[in-house]
Amino acid sequence: MQKGSTMHIPDGLMDPLIWVIGFVVAMPILLAAFRKLGRETDEDRIPFMAVLAAGIFVAQMLNFPVAGGTTGHLIGAALAVVLVGPAAAMAVLTVVIVIQSLFFGDGGITALGLNLLNMAVVAPLVSSLVYAASRRNLKASIFAASWLSVFLAAFATAIELSASFLISGGTYGITPFIALPAMLGYNAVIGVAEGIITVGIWAFISQVAPEIAKAGKEEVAQ
Amino acid sequence: MKRGPATYLAAIAVVFAILLPLYYVFSYGENDSLERTIEQGNNAQGGSTYNAPFSYGGSYLESLVFGILGMVLVFVVFYALLLVMRKRRRRGGE
């Protein structure tokens, strides 16, 4: 997994002001999520959450082809939201992303705040908003939550790349004329795969352990 | 959970071992969406001075070993973190 193995924002790509903003915005939200989890989580649910985090780690390693020699990978935010709720999903994605960065060099140290903001804050928040609004067709709303989580996380990345480019006068980032269409175009397709995988796993878990899917829905409704 | 976490982790490792060859057949060596965007934008990445202790490996066996290592690491860190937070909370409430 050499070429194509660094799946998250690397060091040296973003303007320092942008990656500092990433930390400043992401950290308080994630701290609040961990606090909520520590306060309210039933101890019996912790092993399942930890298994889910481990599963998302390996799932993110398995890139799949999208189009024109480009690949994508699961984020897993929507899956985590529908199974354990938004706060736990944020905690799950945080641990996955921090370990990818510190132990596997996947995603930069300076870019860690932005990677957390995009995948551990934006993606779970979007997923939980869409899923909480669902009333009837759960599979359709899980698909929509998954697709939107990927698309808006990619949109956030494109905005960060564009802002870096504009602030630095082109030293960092990528011009918005390339960053926005490229990121949104590729991730519109990746989101479909994310939706199919998420609905598939959720449907399987709903069959074999319906109490887990039910608990997830209750967490999102709170 | 009906069974212990080790059973589920083993099941995930088996699924990973089965799906990993598909990655090597269809996606190995290809850029992901962000890398493709960076390539299109002609941005020379500054690189990092930080050297991570592991990588995702360059062969099926290496990726399998590092994937399972990462999986266990994530499980242990998440579990330990949540247990410590729960214990601190309980102690604070007493």
Side-chain angles (χ1 to χ4, degrees):
Chain A
M1 292 194 176
Q2 278 147 353
K3 194 186 175 198
S5 67
T6 302
M7 300 176 289
H8 308 324
I9 300 169
D11 283 323
L13 179 61
M14 297 291 190
D15 185 273
L17 177 66
I18 299 299
W19 63 252
V20 167
I21 290 173
F23 280 106
V24 170
V25 176
M27 286 308 154
I29 300 170
L30 294 174
L31 274 175
F34 272 100
R35 278 209 190 110
K36 184 177 189 295
L37 210 55
R39 209 169 44 232
E40 297 172 6
T41 301
D42 181 355
E43 240 165 76
D44 296 342
R45 297 260 291 155
I46 295 175
F48 174 71
M49 290 175 187
V51 168
L52 178 67
I56 288 174
F57 176 88
V58 291
Q60 287 200 0
M61 279 180 72
L62 295 168
N63 276 38
F64 46 81
V66 180
T70 304
T71 66
H73 66 80
L74 191 87
I75 294 181
L79 179 67
V81 164
V82 299
L83 294 177
V84 294
M90 286 182 185
V92 161
L93 267 298
T94 299
V95 170
V96 168
I97 292 163
V98 168
I99 285 178
Q100 284 172 336
S101 176
L102 295 183
F103 289 88
F104 293 89
D106 183 9
I109 300 292
T110 57
L112 186 58
L114 292 171
N115 282 320
L116 288 170
L117 180 64
N118 301 338
M119 287 181 284
V121 175
V122 172
L125 272 181
V126 170
S127 302
S128 57
L129 287 174
V130 175
Y131 191 52
S134 66
R135 292 284 178 271
R136 287 182 197 155
N137 192 337
L138 279 186
K139 282 182 186 167
S141 57
I142 291 169
F143 182 89
S146 308
W147 187 86
L148 264 177
S149 72
V150 171
F151 192 75
L152 291 183
F155 181 65
T157 308
I159 294 292
E160 292 150 9
L161 286 167
S162 304
S164 288
F165 184 88
L166 296 172
I167 288 171
S168 68
T171 307
Y172 294 102
I174 293 167
T175 170
F177 298 110
I178 292 174
L180 281 162
M183 284 301 290
L184 296 184
Y186 293 129
N187 284 282
V189 182
I190 293 168
V192 173
E194 176 107 7
I196 293 168
I197 295 166
T198 305
V199 170
I201 295 173
W202 178 84
F204 174 74
I205 290 176
S206 296
Q207 287 291 313
V208 297
E211 71 281 0
I212 289 175
K214 190 169 171 258
K217 183 70 181 160
E218 285 166 3
E219 285 284 342
V220 175
Q222 280 175 8
Chain B
M1 293 203 302
K2 288 167 190 163
R3 294 185 186 149
T7 309
Y8 296 99
L9 289 179
I12 291 169
V14 169
V15 173
F16 180 58
I18 293 168
L19 294 179
L20 193 55
L22 295 177
Y23 164 80
Y24 272 98
V25 171
F26 294 110
S27 303
Y28 181 71
E30 303 288 359
N31 285 329
D32 74 3
S33 61
L34 178 60
E35 289 165 327
R36 183 71 68 196
T37 305
I38 293 168
E39 200 177 72
Q40 286 175 6
N42 281 325
N43 182 300
Q45 292 172 45
S48 178
T49 50
Y50 174 72
N51 286 318
F54 310 118
S55 71
Y56 290 143
S59 67
Y60 173 79
L61 204 58
E62 279 180 8
S63 297
L64 184 65
V65 170
F66 285 123
I68 292 171
L69 175 72
M71 180 185 82
V72 172
L73 204 55
V74 167
F75 176 83
V76 170
V77 168
F78 188 90
Y79 205 153
L81 200 62
L82 263 284
L83 281 187
V84 168
M85 285 170 62
R86 290 292 299 168
K87 278 193 182 140
R88 277 185 58 191
R89 180 78 202 166
R90 223 182 292 147
R91 218 176 295 152
E94 281 167 4

